[in-house]
C-alpha cells in the first residue's frame, strides 16, 4: 500500500509517502515567519498552508519516486488544531481522494504523535506508557495496543511546549521558545535558580505549568529584568532552571506511570520530545528502572505527515476509511477504539 499523508494542523505544512509502514519521503516546511509576531497567527497560517500544500505534496511524491496513480490511499489530519489550517489539509486530501478514486482517512493528530515511535525501526512493544508533549498538549497515555488507549493524565492548564514558548517570550529570546531555551540552557547553570517542580509529588498524573510560568515571571520582576539583544548569563541560567523543572516533572511522572502500569517500555513524542535535556534525563532515569525508551528522531517529534500516514495505514488495514462528509474537529481528544482484535488483519494490506 502506498499512502500519502498530509499534516496542516498548526504552522507546519507537511506531506509524506509511506510504503505500508515504512517512510519513503517526508517533506515539512515550518512557517518561521510567525516568529515575527511572537506566536502563530491562525489566519496567516491557513493562507500559508494554501500556498504550500500543492508544492509540498508534489515534492513528497517526487522524492518518493512514485506517481500520483501509484497512491493507494490518502490520510490527513482532521483535528485537533487550528480550524483554518485543518480545513486546508483535510479539504485538499478529500479532493485528491475523489480525483484519484482512492480511500481517504481523517486522522487524529494526537494519535499520530502517540504512534510516531513506530516510524523507527526499533518499535515499542505493547503495552507501553507514552508521554505526548507538544505546543498544544501534554498527556500520559497507557497504550495497550493500536487503537486501545487509556489517558492517565493531561495538563490542567498550559501544555509543556506552550510554557517553553511563553517563558521564551518573557525573556525576549524569540519564537518558538522550546529550541531556543534548549540551546541557551546548555550554557546556563540550572542550580543558579531553582524553580518549583509543580505537582511532581502528588499521586495524580495531571500536569500544571502555569504556576511555574508565574514563578519565572516573579523572578524576572524581582531582578527588574529587561530583555537585551544578546542573551546574558542571567537569561541562560533562567532557561536552565526553568527547563530542569519541566524536565524533572515530565520524566518523573512518566516513570511513575510506567511503574504503576508495570510496563517495560516508555515512549515520548511531540515537539518537546526534541528537548536534549529531557532525552538525557529520561535515558538516565529509564536505565535506573530497567525501562526501554522509544523516542523518534527529531523530524518525527515535531509535526510531520509521516506519523499521519502511519495512522492512516493502520486504520486502512482495519477497514476504517472515513466518509467524505467528515468535518475538521479543532478540539478533538484522543479516542480509544477499544479492543478491535477480532478485526485485526481484516484487510489485505497490500491494497493496489
Ligand atoms: O508537536 P509540535 O511540533 O506542534 C504541536 O502539535 O504543538 O510541538 C511544537 C512545540 C513548541 O511549543 C516548541 O517550542 C516545542 O514543541 N519544542 C521544544 C523543542 N523543540 C520544539 N520544546 C523544548 N525543547 C525543544 N528542543
Ligand atoms: Zn503536534
Amino acid at each position: 500500500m502506498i499512502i500519502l499523508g498530509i499534516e496542516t494542523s498548526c504552522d507546519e505544512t507537511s506531506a509524506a509517502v509511506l510504503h505500508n509502514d515504512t517512510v519513503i519521503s517526508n517533506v515539512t516546511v515550518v512557517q518561521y515567519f510567525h516568529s515575527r509576531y511572537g506566536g502563530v497567527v491562525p489566519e496567516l497560517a491557513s493562507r500559508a498552508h494554501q500556498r504550500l500544500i500543492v508544492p509540498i505534496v508534489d515534492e513528497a511524491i517526487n522524492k518518493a519516486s512514485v506517481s500520483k496513480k501509484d497512491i493507494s490511499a490518502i490520510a490527513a489530519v482532521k483535528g485537533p488544531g487550528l480550524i483554518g489550517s485543518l480545513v486546508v489539509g483535510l479539504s485538499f486530501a478529500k479532493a485528491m481522494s475523489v480525483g484519484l478514486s482512492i480511500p481517504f482517512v481523517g486522522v487524529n493528530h494526537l494519535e499520530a504523535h502517540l504512534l510516531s515511535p513506530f516510524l523507527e525501526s526499533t518499535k515499542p512493544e505493547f503495552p507501553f506508557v507514552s508521554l505526548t508533549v507538544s505546543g498544544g498538549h501534554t498527556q500520559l497515555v497507557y497504550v495497550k495496543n493500536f487503537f486501545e488507549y487509556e489517558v492517565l493524565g493531561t495538563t490542567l492548564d498550559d501544555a509543556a511546549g506552550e510554557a517553553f514558548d511563553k517563558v521564551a517570550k518573557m525573556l525576549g529570546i524569540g519564537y518558538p521558545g522550546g529550541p531556543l531555551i534548549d540551546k541557551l540552557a546548555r550554557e546556563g547553570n540550572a542550580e543558579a535558580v531553582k524553580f518549583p517542580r509543580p505537582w511532581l509529588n502528588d499521586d495524580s498524573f495531571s500536569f500544571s505549568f502555569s504556576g511555574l510560568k508565574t514563578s519565572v515571571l516573579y523572578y524576572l520582576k524581582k531582578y527588574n529584568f529587561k530583555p537585551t539583544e544578546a542573551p546574558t548569563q542571567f537569561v541562560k541560567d533562567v532557561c536552565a532552571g526553568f527547563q530542569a523543572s519541566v524536565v524533572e516533572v515530565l520524566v518523573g511522572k512518566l516513570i511513575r506511570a510506567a511503574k504503576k502500569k508495570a510496563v517495560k517500555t516508555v515512549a515520548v513524542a511531540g515537539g518537546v520530545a526534541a528537548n536534549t535535556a529531557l532525552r538525557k534525563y529520561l535515558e538516565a532515569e529509564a536505565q535506573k528502572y530497567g525501562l526501554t525508551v522509544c523516542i523518534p528522531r527529531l523530524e518525527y517529534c515535531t509535526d510531520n505527515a509521516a506519523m499521519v500516514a502511519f495512522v492512516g495505514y493502520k486504520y486502512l488495514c482495519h477497514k476504517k476509511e472515513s466518509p467524505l462528509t467528515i468535518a475538521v474537529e479543532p478540539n478533538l481528544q484522543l479516542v480509544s477504539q477499544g479492543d478491535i482484535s477480532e478485526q485485526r488483519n481484516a484487510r489485505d494490506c497490500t491494497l493496489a
Side-chain angles (χ1 to χ4, degrees):
M1 210 194 296
I2 301 282
I3 324 275
L4 172 69
I6 292 179
E7 158 66 50
T8 62
S9 64
C10 190
D11 60 340
E12 277 96 0
T13 315
S14 183
V17 176
L18 265 61
H19 177 224
N20 295 337
D21 58 359
T22 305
V23 182
I24 330 181
S25 70
N26 180 49
V27 180
T28 304
V29 169
V30 183
Q31 302 172 6
Y32 279 114
F33 65 83
H34 294 287
S35 59
R36 228 179 286 154
Y37 309 98
V40 178
V41 182
E43 177 61 25
L44 297 182
S46 48
R47 288 179 194 212
H49 285 306
Q50 265 181 329
R51 273 197 311 278
L52 289 165
I53 189 88
V54 172
I56 296 293
V57 166
D58 279 346
E59 194 178 331
I61 291 173
N62 291 339
K63 272 202 170 157
S65 302
V66 294
S67 74
K68 289 197 177 92
K69 65 174 174 19
D70 298 322
I71 300 171
S72 340
I74 180 160
V77 164
K78 62 178 175 185
L82 301 171
I83 186 164
S85 294
L86 291 166
V87 164
V88 175
L90 200 73
S91 316
F92 183 90
K94 285 182 191 174
M96 204 161 163
S97 95
V98 172
L100 296 172
S101 301
I102 54 175
F104 152 78
V105 189
V107 170
N108 184 323
H109 181 79
L110 292 173
E111 191 168 18
H113 273 307
L114 186 75
L115 299 182
S116 60
F118 286 92
L119 295 171
E120 298 295 357
S121 48
T122 310
K123 308 195 186 296
E125 275 181 28
F126 294 113
F128 63 93
V129 172
S130 164
L131 172 70
T132 301
V133 262
S134 70
H137 304 275
T138 301
Q139 61 180 21
L140 270 172
V141 181
Y142 173 63
V143 186
K144 199 166 165 211
N145 210 324
F146 291 118
F147 318 117
E148 286 177 66
Y149 317 122
E150 179 193 342
V151 177
L152 303 173
T154 59
T155 180
L156 304 174
D157 39 59
D158 291 354
E162 192 180 354
F164 269 98
D165 295 338
K166 287 179 177 170
V167 167
K169 200 168 181 176
M170 288 179 209
L171 292 169
I173 57 175
Y175 177 88
L180 298 166
I181 289 182
D182 191 350
K183 196 162 159 241
L184 290 173
R186 278 175 231 154
E187 293 164 30
N189 174 9
E191 301 303 317
V193 40
K194 188 123 176 144
F195 291 113
R197 269 58 177 158
W199 293 51
L200 179 59
N201 295 318
D202 81 320
D203 284 341
S204 80
F205 292 115
S206 302
F207 299 90
S208 165
F209 293 108
S210 93
L212 172 62
K213 198 182 61 191
T214 310
S215 299
V216 175
L217 182 68
Y218 284 158
Y219 186 78
L220 298 182
K221 277 194 176 156
K222 183 172 149 195
Y223 288 94
N224 206 11
F225 171 74
K226 298 270 176 305
T228 47
E229 190 72 31
T232 56
Q233 191 57 43
F234 174 87
V235 168
K236 291 172 186 172
D237 289 347
V238 171
C239 287
F242 162 76
Q243 179 175 271
S245 168
V246 176
V247 165
E248 221 176 282
V249 171
L250 292 175
V251 173
K253 296 227 172 201
L254 174 59
I255 300 281
R256 183 135 39 83
K259 282 199 247 169
K260 183 170 179 199
K261 288 298 197 180
V263 296
K264 295 197 184 78
T265 302
V266 291
V268 188
V272 183
N275 186 269
T276 39
L278 184 140
R279 286 173 173 245
K280 205 166 145 203
Y281 185 57
L282 177 58
E283 286 295 342
E285 287 295 289
Q287 206 171 19
K288 243 194 255 173
Y289 297 102
L291 294 164
T292 302
V293 177
C294 294
I295 309 184
R297 69 191 75 173
L298 299 188
E299 176 187 355
Y300 302 148
C301 281
T302 46
D303 288 349
N304 68 89
M307 64 183 189
V308 176
F310 178 80
V311 174
Y313 168 71
K314 282 287 159 195
Y315 273 72
L316 288 161
C317 287
H318 293 86
K319 289 187 174 163
K320 286 174 171 280
E321 287 168 30
S322 304
L324 290 171
T325 48
I326 66 161
V328 297
E329 293 180 66
N331 299 316
L332 188 62
Q333 304 286 314
L334 184 68
V335 185
S336 179
Q337 312 280 328
D339 182 4
I340 57 160
S341 51
E342 74 284 358
Q343 296 172 36
R344 236 159 246 145
N345 303 319
R347 184 188 193 116
D348 174 5
C349 278
T350 52
L351 254 191

